[in-house]
Amino acid sequence: MGPGHGLAVRLHCLPLSVCPSVRPSVRPCPARMGAGSRLRFSFKVLRCRYGVSGCDPCRIPPPAPQRYPPCSTGSRALSCHNPGPTAGIQPQDPTLGWQRVDKYLYHMRLSEDTLQEVSERFRKEMEKGLGADTNPTASVKMLPSFVRSTPDGTEDGDFLALDLGGTNFRVLRVKVSDNGLQKVEMESQIYEIHEDLMRGSGMQLFDHIAECLGNFMEKLKIKDKKLPLGFTFSFPCHQTKLDESILVNWTKGFKCSSVEGKDVVSLLRRAIKKRGDFDIDIVAVVNDTVGTMMSCGYDDQNCEVGLIVGTGTNACYMEEMRHIDLVEGDEGRMCINMEWGAFGDDGALNDIRTEFDHEIDMGSLNPGKQLFEKMISGMYMGELVRLILVKMAKEGLLFQGKLSSDLRTTGHFETRFVSAIEKEKEGLQKAHEILTKLGLEPSHEDCLATHRICQIVSTRSANLCGATLAAVLRRIKENKGVDRLRSTVGVDGSVYKKHPHFARRLHKTVRKLLPDCEIRFVRSEDGSGKGAAMVTAVAYRLAAQHKARQKILEALKLSHEQLLEVKRRMRVEMEKGLGKETHAEATVKMLPTYVCSTPDGTEKGDFLALDLGGTNFRVLLVRVRNGMRRGVEMHNKIYSIPLEVMQGTGEELFDHIVHCISDFLEYMGMKGVSLPLGFTFSFPCKQTNLDEGILLKWTKGFKATGCEGEDVVSLLKEAIHRREEFDLDVVAVVNDTVGTMMTCGYEDPYCEVGLIVGTGSNACYMEEMRNVELVEGDEGRMCVNMEWGAFGDNGCLDDIQTEFDLAVDELSLNPGKQRFEKMISGMYLGEIVRNILMDFTKRGLLFRGRISERLKTRGIFETKFLSQIESDCLALLQVRSILQHLGLESTCDDSIIVKEVCTVVARRAAQLCGAGMAAVVDKIRENRGLEFLKVTVGVDGTLYKLHPHFSAIMQDTVRQLSPCCEVTFLQSEDGSGKGAALITAVACRIREAGQR
């Protein structure tokens, strides 16, 4: 029904409890008609003069219908004291009283658009408070609390709490048990602080607190125990650690000397130590708002916001560390004590503050400060109502223009009166009683108007509180990157708990401003006592769990001395591998490759390269140019090898390879051209010449018969001859590590070492021929394929292997083999991490002790996840996303732990790799009798290239362990393809030179 439409209703003699926007066009007094008489009233629904149509005047409903005693006529009408032919109900019509109040307090009735604007302004103030550069001028200070985690329900132990915030202080003992019931038991005692102590010396105050604490412990017979304690110290402080808090200034009547500017924890510790009859571990200084969040967080692990609306108001929430400029570190979260009462001190709320807000502020102890708090908290709500009543009375709108001395007196209209007057049933009766006690003679209309004033003031308070809280929750939602936030707010404070409608209005505002969030509100029980104990319990749990985790991870952290020893042992195994008599027992086989030279830049020509190492097979044409146009141009095509070919006969496999070569030559328009060819054959081989490699054993799923023990080059040549389409000059069979060295050697003449750290790991280097006893001749150098993955297979690394390495080895396809590779390569690092995470979870140190079926699955934690998780640009949000993908429901703390495990495992791998490489470069230096060596290492492999920190850690380790070597690391491009062609090119260059 729109404005202007008539509405006919039948009424018995009832009060006209309607919206001010609905005005009766006929106003007879129902009292004159007699009980039970029927009247026909015509109403028109008008547009509210304040801009909102319908019966909801700017979102604030009128009071609910009240029950009134019958008038002399027996009717239940309002204000029937002066019946007469023309009296009607106009002077006493409640709707007119409400309209007067609504019009008078128009600026206190905030629309949804205004609340959204307030919320947005507050969000900007939050960002200013978090920024290092903008914090000094921010009104919302966003103070770090150094509380880094909320309860997870596994807290356990016996704790003490001190609660100092006024003339009384409490000592509490809080027992938290985790036997599946999450039980909390509390005992407490209140002690008085006399005025002489409040104004004496700091030493006297803290001596008194220590004495009361001792008295409490004596009473409970726990003086012999050193219990952890949380200290709720409700005064303005600058907190620098969880257990360090500098008092900025005293408030609440305290004036103790020599405390301001000092750490209150140190003062308390000193007082306790001076007594000497008990000892306490003071773990945390706690703000009462943070305590509220933590006390609720024990029962609801979704709780990440704390809110107090009582005498004062404040809020806290869990913020991402990466956004907190005032504290070092980017990982995890920290609770921020917002101190939001000062919102608006910079003028941000000037356009919505009213004359009454200004008057409140000017009459306060701190003019210009805490302006937001003065608009919403219990200390000022009653006074706001009093100022409005006084002004309206002075203007003749209430109490017939009369004022009492009590109403004129600041503070005489208490906030509890607002709560009483707004109660559903007895509200108007309470209004009458309260106004009468204040020396007034209120009419019924005065009581209704007072009710409406209280309603508008308290509703504005709830709406403003809801607007700022919505900004906090929206920030949490954005931080988490979720479409729909599910979170819990822990709340305390007399206004929230005792006002009959405040909580409901606050919830409604939050729901309206955040329709895409599911927010639960939980009332706190003793945030300053239980909450302080919970902060302490969480800190103790985290410390104990951290200690347990570090003890386990300690075995994976290698000292400088241990790395030097690994380097020494690698050198021993290298010497064994090179020696003719010791070669058989050596784990590092040091295989001759018959590559006797690196590129010198004069290589030229067209070469074919074959790359066989898995289910895909590549054929490449590599054009090497020298002179002014020096460079390498490559063309390649990838072919698949069907399973039936992989597991058929050797003839079928090599015929398939030759068929692919024929297709490629036709594709390139080079059919019939005979080119030199390099063959990268990435399977275990014994090489007896550059163009001869005996396959020792198939791996990677290949089972082609008639190949093991045979020369793969001969098998390839036979297949080419069977084809009878073309002829190729197979010059070299190539190991991919050697190919890597040669590829980089073409770019850098100092490159004499090759390294691969990917799925597997290996190294090669140019050794002096006089040291290669397996090959005849002492002149020149030869590249040695180290096959260093088997380092440690003889037990020489047992002292640094962990239970996790042994578990991975035991369940591998080759137990007891390739032990060094299993500690450093991509195939195994993820599995090591998974085993550690399993162990942590079983011990209750991770994922709340709940092992998912996915975590039990071997290979589920791929090594690529280590690279992703350790990425500097990846927030913990993305870490949680990766874990969620793995079926692991994790908290922020869990994500930090997983990241730490990944870091430790990857760091050890990089350091071990660096120790091995240090042994290689030092051997080259000593071979040449140099005091200082400059050398380049060509590197390939996904772990080296993709992990964000592996390369830097490895290089740093080499620098530390080989200080007499300047080692440059150069990333290879296609060592198995381009490298094979360059080996062929070098061999052709040397062959041609020998023919001249």
Side-chain angles (χ1 to χ4, degrees):
M1 184 185 306
H5 287 74
L7 170 66
V9 297
R10 290 184 180 274
L11 294 177
H12 290 280
C13 294
L14 298 174
L16 295 176
S17 299
V18 294
C19 168
S21 299
V22 181
R23 300 182 187 172
S25 56
V26 179
R27 295 184 294 275
C29 177
R32 291 181 57 81
M33 304 301 299
S37 298
R38 294 191 176 213
L39 291 175
R40 182 174 292 273
F41 286 77
S42 176
F43 286 76
K44 284 190 176 179
V45 181
L46 307 177
R47 173 168 286 277
C48 169
R49 70 184 67 185
Y50 311 118
V52 179
S53 63
C55 297
D56 183 7
C58 296
R59 303 174 66 250
I60 303 174
Q66 308 284 343
R67 293 185 177 276
Y68 309 109
C71 64
S72 56
T73 64
S75 80
R76 305 177 74 164
L78 300 179
S79 303
C80 301
H81 304 295
N82 301 302
T86 60
I89 61 170
Q90 186 171 2
Q92 293 82 24
D93 183 347
T95 65
L96 299 180
W98 299 332
Q99 282 185 346
R100 277 203 298 272
V101 172
D102 287 350
K103 183 178 180 181
Y104 203 82
L105 300 180
Y106 169 66
H107 290 295
M108 296 187 90
R109 296 161 59 231
L110 306 175
S111 69
E112 191 172 321
D113 287 345
T114 301
L115 294 174
Q116 285 283 16
E117 175 62 24
V118 169
S119 189
E120 178 59 24
R121 291 179 194 176
F122 187 72
R123 184 188 66 77
K124 290 177 181 175
E125 286 299 318
M126 289 170 66
E127 289 177 359
K128 281 176 69 176
L130 289 169
D133 295 334
T134 50
N135 177 271
T137 58
S139 58
V140 181
K141 284 299 180 186
M142 306 291 282
L143 304 175
S145 70
F146 297 88
V147 171
R148 295 176 180 266
S149 182
T150 53
D152 70 358
T154 65
E155 288 73 22
D156 194 21
D158 211 351
F159 305 94
L160 291 172
L162 278 182
D163 178 14
L164 176 63
T167 53
N168 293 329
F169 86 97
R170 288 187 305 155
V171 185
L172 304 93
R173 181 191 190 182
V174 182
K175 287 184 179 179
V176 184
S177 56
D178 175 32
N179 53 5
L181 300 175
Q182 287 189 222
K183 190 178 178 184
V184 178
E185 300 175 64
M186 293 195 293
E187 300 172 83
S188 67
Q189 177 135 358
I190 296 174
Y191 295 91
E192 191 176 353
I193 297 181
H194 295 292
E195 194 170 339
D196 56 335
L197 282 172
M198 292 170 66
R199 298 177 180 277
S201 70
M203 183 186 296
Q204 290 173 319
L205 173 66
F206 284 95
D207 284 348
H208 176 67
I209 292 171
E211 182 184 349
C212 295
L213 184 56
N215 171 275
F216 180 76
M217 295 177 73
E218 181 77 46
K219 181 180 168 186
L220 296 182
K221 296 184 170 46
I222 53 173
K223 249 187 174 180
D224 57 330
K225 297 181 179 179
K226 184 178 180 179
L227 295 178
L229 179 142
F231 187 9
T232 300
F233 189 74
S234 300
F235 298 91
C237 286
H238 172 58
Q239 201 156 351
T240 49
K241 297 180 194 171
L242 186 60
D243 64 345
E244 185 175 279
S245 196
I246 312 299
L247 177 66
V248 177
N249 59 274
W250 283 115
T251 57
K252 306 175 188 179
F254 279 75
K255 293 286 183 184
C256 299
S257 61
S258 303
V259 182
E260 292 180 352
K262 302 283 180 63
D263 172 27
V264 295
V265 174
S266 296
L267 294 174
L268 180 57
R269 281 178 178 149
R270 202 173 300 152
I272 292 169
K273 187 176 180 180
K274 187 164 62 175
R275 287 178 59 85
D277 57 339
F278 65 91
D279 197 8
I280 291 292
D281 181 14
I282 305 173
V283 174
V285 189
V286 183
N287 167 279
D288 54 354
T289 317
V290 178
T292 294
M293 180 189 76
M294 296 295 275
S295 65
C296 294
Y298 183 70
D299 300 310
D300 183 337
Q301 274 89 60
N302 280 328
C303 186
E304 49 195 340
V305 182
L307 170 65
I308 290 181
V309 194
T311 306
T313 184
N314 194 15
C316 68
Y317 74 103
M318 296 301 293
E319 176 61 86
E320 301 292 321
M321 279 289 292
R322 67 183 187 275
H323 296 148
I324 307 171
D325 291 353
L326 302 178
V327 179
E328 288 187 7
D330 290 333
E331 292 187 356
R333 300 198 297 171
M334 181 180 286
C335 182
I336 291 292
N337 165 26
M338 302 180 75
E339 293 295 344
W340 79 359
F343 175 41
D345 288 5
D346 59 354
L349 296 177
N350 283 357
D351 55 336
I352 64 167
R353 291 177 67 222
T354 66
E355 59 182 296
F356 307 109
D357 297 309
H358 285 283
E359 194 170 346
I360 283 269
D361 178 47
M362 294 307 295
S364 68
L365 295 172
N366 55 345
K369 304 292 183 186
Q370 299 294 103
L371 298 183
F372 185 63
E373 183 171 78
K374 289 169 185 173
M375 296 173 81
I376 68 174
S377 76
M379 179 176 281
Y380 305 98
M381 194 183 290
E383 183 63 10
L384 267 173
V385 171
R386 187 191 72 81
L387 290 174
I388 294 166
L389 292 175
V390 168
K391 189 154 192 288
M392 289 186 75
K394 283 180 177 178
E395 294 178 13
L397 300 173
L398 287 177
F399 314 127
Q400 297 179 339
K402 297 175 182 176
L403 282 169
S404 66
S405 59
D406 271 336
L407 191 62
R408 290 178 184 272
T409 305
T410 301
H412 273 215
F413 197 99
E414 300 172 43
T415 296
R416 63 189 176 94
F417 296 166
V418 178
S419 298
I421 289 169
E422 285 198 66
K423 285 184 179 175
E424 289 288 353
K425 294 183 179 178
E426 68 267 25
L428 289 181
Q429 184 180 333
K430 288 288 183 184
H432 192 274
E433 290 174 9
I434 289 164
L435 293 171
T436 302
K437 284 180 181 177
L438 290 171
L440 299 163
E441 295 180 5
S443 67
H444 218 66
E445 192 176 35
D446 292 333
C447 293
L448 283 166
T450 302
H451 180 286
R452 184 64 169 158
I453 292 165
C454 291
Q455 189 182 52
I456 289 172
V457 169
S458 65
T459 299
R460 183 186 72 154
S461 172
N463 287 346
L464 286 171
C465 198
T468 48
L469 183 58
V472 174
L473 292 164
R474 189 180 293 109
R475 182 170 180 85
I476 293 173
K477 177 177 178 289
E478 290 169 359
N479 283 347
K480 290 185 174 183
V482 293
D483 294 329
R484 190 170 188 83
L485 176 69
R486 293 184 63 188
S487 189
T488 298
V489 180
V491 200
D492 206 349
S494 53
V495 172
Y496 182 90
K497 287 183 171 179
K498 294 182 178 178
H499 189 284
H501 307 296
F502 188 94
R504 177 179 55 78
R505 292 171 187 160
L506 171 64
H507 303 169
K508 184 178 179 182
T509 300
V510 171
R511 280 195 300 271
K512 279 193 173 185
L513 298 182
L514 291 177
D516 52 354
C517 297
E518 294 176 34
I519 308 301
R520 182 170 180 248
F521 291 83
V522 175
R523 291 190 178 198
S524 168
E525 293 176 20
D526 195 5
S528 54
K530 177 184 171 185
M534 277 303 153
V535 171
T536 308
V538 168
Y540 245 60
R541 169 178 62 79
L542 292 176
Q545 290 177 342
H546 178 74
K547 186 177 180 181
R549 287 192 300 269
Q550 292 310 305
K551 187 176 180 181
I552 294 166
L553 293 176
E554 199 60 41
L556 289 110
K557 296 177 180 178
L558 302 176
S559 66
H560 182 72
E561 290 70 25
Q562 285 176 305
L563 291 169
L564 278 173
E565 181 60 21
V566 170
K567 174 189 171 185
R568 188 192 69 77
R569 293 175 190 176
M570 175 67 86
R571 178 68 179 270
V572 170
E573 290 301 312
M574 289 169 69
E575 299 289 359
K576 281 184 183 180
L578 289 169
K580 198 168 188 176
E581 294 181 2
T582 53
H583 177 80
E585 67 183 62
T587 57
V588 181
K589 285 299 180 184
M590 308 292 284
L591 303 175
T593 67
Y594 298 88
V595 172
C596 297
S597 179
T598 54
D600 66 2
T602 64
E603 294 79 13
K604 65 179 179 177
D606 289 353
F607 305 91
L608 279 181
L610 307 182
D611 178 14
L612 179 64
T615 54
N616 289 329
F617 163 67
R618 285 193 306 158
V619 185
L620 304 93
L621 173 65
V622 182
R623 289 187 165 129
V624 183
R625 302 283 179 262
N626 63 3
M628 294 292 290
R629 297 172 57 202
R630 183 177 183 271
V632 175
E633 177 189 328
M634 292 194 297
H635 305 272
N636 73 86
K637 197 170 180 182
I638 297 173
Y639 299 88
S640 64
I641 299 181
L643 184 63
E644 61 269 21
V645 174
M646 291 170 62
Q647 300 182 358
T649 67
E651 279 194 6
E652 289 171 339
L653 173 61
F654 281 92
D655 283 348
H656 178 73
I657 290 172
V658 171
H659 170 75
C660 295
I661 297 171
S662 175
D663 177 80
F664 179 76
L665 290 172
E666 189 171 341
Y667 170 73
M668 294 299 298
M670 301 178 69
K671 205 72 174 279
V673 177
S674 179
L675 295 174
L677 180 145
F679 187 8
T680 299
F681 188 76
S682 300
F683 298 90
C685 285
K686 179 184 177 184
Q687 206 158 348
T688 52
N689 213 324
L690 183 60
D691 62 350
E692 187 176 305
I694 311 300
L695 175 63
L696 299 177
K697 185 179 181 181
W698 281 121
T699 57
K700 308 176 186 178
F702 280 74
K703 292 182 181 178
T705 58
C707 297
E708 292 182 354
E710 300 292 330
D711 173 23
V712 295
V713 175
S714 296
L715 294 174
L716 178 61
K717 286 179 176 178
E718 288 170 10
I720 292 172
H721 291 150
R722 279 196 300 272
R723 184 93 180 176
E724 295 184 347
E725 282 185 17
F726 52 85
D727 196 16
L728 295 172
D729 178 15
V730 184
V731 174
V733 61
V734 182
N735 169 279
D736 54 354
T737 315
V738 181
T740 294
M741 180 189 75
M742 296 296 275
T743 301
C744 293
Y746 185 75
E747 304 295 334
D748 184 339
Y750 286 101
C751 185
E752 299 183 74
V753 185
L755 171 65
I756 289 183
V757 197
T759 306
S761 181
N762 194 17
C764 68
Y765 72 102
M766 297 302 291
E767 179 58 88
E768 303 299 316
M769 278 292 293
R770 66 179 182 273
N771 296 330
V772 186
E773 296 182 8
L774 299 179
V775 179
E776 289 185 7
D778 291 338
E779 296 296 322
R781 297 170 187 159
M782 181 180 286
C783 180
V784 170
N785 167 24
M786 297 178 69
E787 291 294 343
W788 78 356
F791 176 42
D793 287 3
N794 60 355
C796 69
L797 295 180
D798 284 1
D799 57 332
I800 65 168
Q801 279 196 309
T802 67
E803 59 183 292
F804 310 110
D805 297 308
L806 295 174
V808 169
D809 178 51
E810 187 179 337
L811 294 173
S812 68
L813 295 173
N814 55 346
K817 304 295 183 185
Q818 299 293 104
R819 290 191 173 181
F820 188 59
E821 184 172 78
K822 287 170 185 172
M823 296 171 78
I824 67 172
S825 75
M827 181 175 280
Y828 302 99
L829 295 191
E831 190 60 10
I832 294 172
V833 168
R834 187 188 70 85
N835 275 273
I836 296 171
L837 300 185
M838 283 274 290
D839 184 73
F840 279 6
T841 309
K842 286 175 184 175
R843 296 171 188 264
L845 305 174
L846 184 65
F847 303 134
R848 299 183 188 176
R850 301 167 193 158
I851 299 180
S852 71
E853 287 303 314
R854 295 265 288 173
L855 191 58
K856 294 178 185 176
T857 308
R858 282 183 61 224
I860 191 70
F861 203 99
E862 299 173 50
T863 297
K864 69 176 182 180
F865 294 141
L866 272 76
S867 300
Q868 292 171 5
I869 285 170
E870 285 199 71
S871 173
D872 291 328
C873 61
L874 196 70
L876 288 178
L877 175 64
Q878 282 78 30
V879 177
R880 289 179 73 178
S881 176
I882 290 170
L883 296 176
Q884 196 169 10
H885 170 71
L886 295 173
L888 302 169
E889 288 299 325
S890 65
T891 64
C892 181
D893 293 332
D894 290 333
S895 300
I896 294 172
I897 295 164
V898 171
K899 188 169 184 178
E900 182 185 16
V901 172
C902 292
T903 300
V904 169
V905 170
R907 182 176 182 81
R908 184 188 69 157
Q911 288 178 323
L912 285 172
C913 198
M917 191 48 53
V920 172
V921 296
D922 262 346
K923 177 153 180 40
I924 295 173
R925 181 180 62 80
E926 290 172 19
N927 282 346
R928 298 174 190 179
L930 300 172
E931 289 186 10
F932 188 83
L933 172 72
K934 183 176 180 181
V935 68
T936 297
V937 178
V939 200
D940 205 349
T942 52
L943 187 59
Y944 183 90
K945 287 182 172 179
L946 300 181
H947 190 282
H949 307 300
F950 189 98
S951 59
I953 295 168
M954 189 192 80
Q955 291 169 26
D956 186 57
T957 304
V958 174
R959 273 193 297 272
Q960 290 181 27
L961 300 184
S962 297
C964 296
C965 298
E966 180 186 324
V967 185
T968 302
F969 290 84
L970 181 63
Q971 286 195 23
S972 165
E973 293 177 19
D974 196 6
S976 56
K978 180 180 174 182
L982 284 168
I983 290 173
T984 306
V986 169
C988 289
R989 169 175 60 81
I990 293 171
R991 188 168 62 185
E992 288 172 8
Q995 290 171 353
R996 284 200 290 269

